[in-house]
Amino acid sequence: MAQSTKKSLTPSSVADIRQAELQYFKETQKKKTKRYKKVRLSRSLWGDVILLLFLLAFGAFSAYPLLFTITNSLKGLDEIFVFPPRLFPRNITFDNFVDLFNLIGNTQIPISRYFVNTLTITLFGTAGHVLFASLAAYPLAKRRFPGRHLINQLVVYSLMFSAAVTAIPSYMIISWFGLIDTQAAIIIPAFGFTLGLFLMRQFMNVIPDELLEASKIDGANEYQTFFLVVMPLVKPAWLTLIILLFQQLWGTDGGNYIFTENLKPLSYALRQIVAGGVARTGTAAAVTVIMLVVPIGVFIFNQTKMLDTMAHSGLK
Amino acid sequence: MVTKALNPSPSKRVSTWTLMKRNKIYYSMIAPFMLIFITFTVIPVLMSFVLSFTSFDMLQPPKFIGLSNYINLFLNDDVFLIALKNTLILAIITGPISYLMAFVFAWLINELPPKIRWLLVLIFYAPSISGSAYLLWLLIFSSDMYGILNATLMNLSIINTPILWLESPKYALTILIIVQLWLSLGVSFLAFIAGLQTVDRTLFEAGAIDGIKNRWQELWYITLPQMKSQLMFGAVMQITNALGIGMVSISLLGFPSVEYSGHTIVTHLLDFGSTNSTRLEMGYASAIATILFVLMLGANLLVQKLIRRVGT
């Protein structure tokens, strides 16, 4: 870090910092892999077998409903009603997905509308949350100022009760702001999701102070430090926040907040289709698959990063 | 002047103020989040508490009625007592089981080779991440002979006629427990896996030399004490979820469920506090919310105390 004592934030000094970060993370990574090396002591074969069976049994319980829905969505109507039910289809067909898009004729609103609504809510809600939560997490983790301790404490307490507790007053507040029957009624409260702030703060706690000092010496103000140094470092954390918010928002059905059919999200449509009875079983499976694919897809690609973040999730 | 009289050391006040002014950039950074957090979390909790002492239908201004709401809840509202009982049963069963499950699976998975570990984490975590996909349990517990469970049981000749799973009060809690457990390997599960990965493995060797004989001793004496903070975080998540069961009940068992068999504090709250409800009574609903708040916070703080003792 010797060169980084220049007085201005030139591109080269930013590059220096990046270099240092990279070095730092490579080193910690190396340490980690060394630590993970399998040490198998105090183990009995008998225990291994029992525990493995137990694991497989629960794995089946966990996967079966999802797997069944996925295969159901690929079955023709005749095969869905085969008695007894089969897990795997003989003839794979995409009719259910086609039907889904043909439901346009039966309802006034095409399924794509619901899809766009869910997408809008999820994207805006997630983006806003990640930005606001990281922006707030940085001073809460790394800087000292009056009120910091109180806020950190409040955030931890807020993890200890669910949204149901605040549902009624939140509804009133949202209606005072005139946000009822708009998607903002779901998007804006999502910005303040405290689990995200908590995880982000915990993750930022481990950023080495020297890195922030270096950036300060380079003449960066706090916002520049945040966007140029901190944010690139906490990428695993924002991916985690994205996944968590996805999980929250992707499944929202608009609840009490959205009345206009045009604005309702996909989950609502799914509920209606499932309620449509046996004849819709195939299409219901198809909608569920669409609902599933996105969050699970996001998780598949980011599992390692999410685990990186969760390693710092501990409550003291 | 009053503040000065209340505060005997004005110099400290001034210094706090200057500190705040000096750090105003940090306040600007936390402001957007805090504004929303205060508006949609802090103020609602306080409002809920205040409104719980009033009668309020959102049309006329709230009227102070003292403890009447609480007295009515516990003495005159049989359905609330059912809801309270159901909530406690569900929480006492799903809370500890889901917590143990999350930990045990994380612990078992952690020993497997990375590729298999990756796959199992995905499988176990998928249900909780998939939004409202728990609706597919409707198909499994569907009451006709095409319902997956009915069809399977009939095929194995265990039963002859389809069972009305979702319509019979006696199955309601069991179904909720099963679905809740299916959904329960969430954030805490990931926290545990991550926590286990940071446990210092050299300690295991040291432990083996010091006479640790099996994996259970290793778990209790070495692993658990090292991941106490993740254990606490996981407990918070699981307790809050276990006491907050409501949407699953509404989606699977209907609202209200048959004979209130799946009624919980959350559904009872929605019964009085949602605008779709015919009996809009915000004061009463706020009293329910306040009870839920106290229950959740109390359970969490109690369990935190217990977990601090792990490994000692």
Side-chain angles (χ1 to χ4, degrees), chain A residues 24-310:
Chain A
Y24 170 77
F25 269 84
K26 268 185 190 154
E27 267 164 32
T28 48
Q29 221 56 40
K30 239 183 251 160
K31 262 186 228 151
K32 266 186 204 164
T33 39
K34 211 173 175 186
R35 229 192 272 154
Y36 293 162
K37 228 182 229 169
K38 280 275 99 64
V39 186
R40 294 189 56 85
L41 300 159
S42 328
R43 291 291 177 274
S44 65
L45 181 67
W46 181 83
D48 275 348
V49 171
I50 301 267
L51 292 175
L52 204 66
L53 283 180
F54 181 54
L55 206 57
L56 286 178
F58 191 81
F61 168 65
S62 186
Y64 181 77
L66 294 176
L67 195 63
F68 195 83
T69 312
I70 295 168
T71 58
N72 244 0
S73 74
L74 299 173
K75 287 177 193 165
L77 208 53
D78 50 329
E79 252 195 295
I80 288 176
F81 293 116
V82 161
F83 184 87
R86 269 182 221 137
L87 183 54
F88 294 105
R90 301 255 158 92
N91 308 306
I92 291 178
T93 137
F94 289 95
D95 285 356
N96 292 317
F97 291 92
V98 177
D99 281 353
L100 191 62
F101 289 93
N102 289 340
L103 275 178
I104 301 164
N106 304 336
T107 58
Q108 306 93 311
I109 292 140
I111 196 83
S112 56
R113 183 74 238 169
Y114 294 109
F115 188 74
V116 170
N117 290 338
T118 293
L119 212 59
T120 316
I121 292 174
T122 311
L123 289 182
F124 281 100
T126 307
H129 172 71
V130 172
L131 179 66
F132 288 170
S134 337
L135 202 54
Y138 166 58
L140 290 175
K142 297 311 278 183
R143 299 295 180 214
R144 268 154 225 295
F145 53 90
R148 166 180 180 262
H149 185 68
L150 176 76
I151 292 169
N152 281 336
Q153 211 67 4
L154 274 180
V155 167
V156 170
Y157 281 123
S158 79
L159 296 177
M160 297 187 182
F161 53 89
S162 66
V165 168
T166 55
I168 296 161
S170 297
Y171 182 87
M172 292 184 214
I173 291 169
I174 287 169
S175 89
W176 290 335
F177 286 138
L179 294 176
I180 295 295
D181 207 17
T182 64
Q183 287 162 352
I186 294 171
I187 295 171
I188 292 176
F191 294 166
F193 180 56
T194 39
L195 180 58
L197 173 66
F198 174 76
L199 292 175
M200 185 56 97
R201 196 198 73 201
Q202 297 300 91
F203 196 76
M204 284 181 177
N205 273 337
V206 297
I207 295 177
D209 285 329
E210 296 77 41
L211 226 54
L212 303 177
E213 276 315 301
S215 151
K216 203 173 187 179
I217 290 163
D218 279 350
N221 68 28
E222 288 292 352
Y223 279 94
Q224 282 165 327
T225 309
F226 172 73
F227 282 110
L228 298 175
V229 180
V230 177
M231 279 306 256
L233 272 177
V234 296
K235 205 163 155 203
W238 30 280
L239 284 166
T240 305
L241 264 56
I242 289 174
I243 291 171
L244 288 177
L245 258 276
F246 240 92
Q247 187 183 336
Q248 296 261 311
L249 297 174
W250 191 252
T252 181
D253 66 351
N256 289 324
Y257 297 118
I258 300 176
F259 306 115
T260 311
E261 200 65 29
N262 258 324
L263 299 171
K264 289 200 168 177
L266 193 60
S267 181
Y268 172 81
L270 168 67
R271 211 174 284 260
Q272 299 311 103
I273 290 171
V274 174
V278 237
R280 294 260 186 86
T281 310
T283 16
V287 186
T288 313
V289 168
I290 293 180
M291 295 284 306
L292 278 175
V293 158
V294 181
I296 291 183
V298 176
F299 182 65
I300 283 179
F301 291 108
N302 298 309
Q303 195 194 105
T304 331
K305 292 187 180 102
M306 193 153 173
L307 287 178
D308 265 0
T309 314
M310 302 309 295

Side-chain angles (χ1 to χ4, degrees), chain B residues 108-158:
Chain B
L108 294 179
I109 284 173
N110 192 48
E111 304 216 325
L112 300 171
K115 290 240 167 68
I116 300 175
R117 183 170 77 204
W118 184 88
L119 185 69
L120 282 174
V121 170
L122 178 67
I123 290 174
F124 287 167
Y125 187 60
S128 76
I129 205 182
S130 43
S132 52
Y134 62 81
L135 289 175
L136 55 87
W137 284 91
L138 281 175
L139 303 177
I140 294 176
F141 286 118
S142 173
S143 303
D144 50 46
M145 59 180 280
Y146 297 109
I148 295 164
L149 185 60
N150 274 332
T152 313
L153 289 178
M154 284 167 82
N155 193 39
L156 296 171
S157 319
I158 294 172

Side-chain angles (χ1 to χ4, degrees), chain B residues 2-257:
Chain B
V2 180
T3 46
K4 206 167 190 179
L6 283 172
N7 205 325
S9 60
S11 65
K12 192 179 179 260
R13 247 182 78 82
V14 170
S15 81
T16 311
W17 179 239
T18 32
L19 260 177
M20 284 175 79
K21 271 210 298 207
R22 196 177 306 148
N23 290 310
K24 61 176 182 278
I25 189 158
Y26 301 129
Y27 293 104
S28 81
M29 290 175 113
I30 62 170
F33 188 94
M34 289 317 289
L35 220 57
I36 290 161
F37 172 64
I38 289 169
T39 314
F40 294 104
T41 304
V42 179
I43 293 178
V45 168
L46 299 175
M47 264 172 83
S48 212
F49 182 70
V50 172
L51 284 175
S52 74
F53 298 106
T54 68
S55 170
F56 181 40
D57 60 3
M58 279 192 92
L59 301 171
Q60 281 153 342
K63 203 172 80 216
F64 181 76
I65 54 166
L67 285 171
S68 297
N69 285 329
Y70 292 98
I71 292 168
N72 280 334
L73 269 174
F74 284 103
L75 296 181
N76 301 325
D77 189 345
D78 292 340
V79 179
F80 173 70
L81 294 180
I82 295 175
L84 184 63
K85 190 192 80 193
N86 286 342
T87 305
L88 291 179
I89 291 174
L90 288 171
I92 287 169
I93 295 174
T94 64
I97 292 183
S98 69
Y99 185 65
L100 282 178
M101 263 170 41
F103 181 77
V104 169
F105 290 127
W107 180 53
L108 294 179
I109 284 173
N110 192 48
E111 304 216 325
L112 300 171
K115 290 240 167 68
I116 300 175
R117 183 170 77 204
W118 184 88
L119 185 69
L120 282 174
V121 170
L122 178 67
I123 290 174
F124 287 167
Y125 187 60
S128 76
I129 205 182
S130 43
S132 52
Y134 62 81
L135 289 175
L136 55 87
W137 284 91
L138 281 175
L139 303 177
I140 294 176
F141 286 118
S142 173
S143 303
D144 50 46
M145 59 180 280
Y146 297 109
I148 295 164
L149 185 60
N150 274 332
T152 313
L153 289 178
M154 284 167 82
N155 193 39
L156 296 171
S157 319
I158 294 172
I159 55 170
N160 295 319
T161 45
I163 293 177
L164 299 172
W165 296 109
L166 298 169
E167 288 81 6
S168 322
K170 63 174 168 175
Y171 299 124
L173 290 182
T174 317
I175 289 174
L176 285 184
I177 289 169
I178 292 173
V179 177
Q180 190 64 30
L181 289 179
W182 183 72
L183 284 169
S184 64
L185 293 187
V187 185
S188 37
F189 171 64
L190 295 186
F192 292 159
I193 296 178
L196 283 165
Q197 291 186 1
T198 55
V199 168
D200 188 353
R201 293 209 155 254
T202 54
L203 285 179
F204 292 146
E205 294 167 45
I209 295 163
D210 284 349
I212 281 187
K213 285 188 200 67
N214 53 43
R215 68 182 90 205
W216 311 105
Q217 288 186 349
E218 185 185 283
L219 178 68
W220 184 257
Y221 291 110
I222 301 175
T223 313
L224 286 184
Q226 278 204 62
M227 47 182 297
K228 219 184 255 183
S229 62
Q230 270 92 8
L231 290 177
M232 296 219 262
F233 172 74
V236 169
M237 294 291 111
Q238 295 311 73
I239 291 169
T240 312
N241 280 338
L243 285 168
I245 297 173
M247 282 321 289
V248 175
S249 166
I250 292 175
S251 309
L252 295 182
L253 304 174
F255 183 52
S257 44

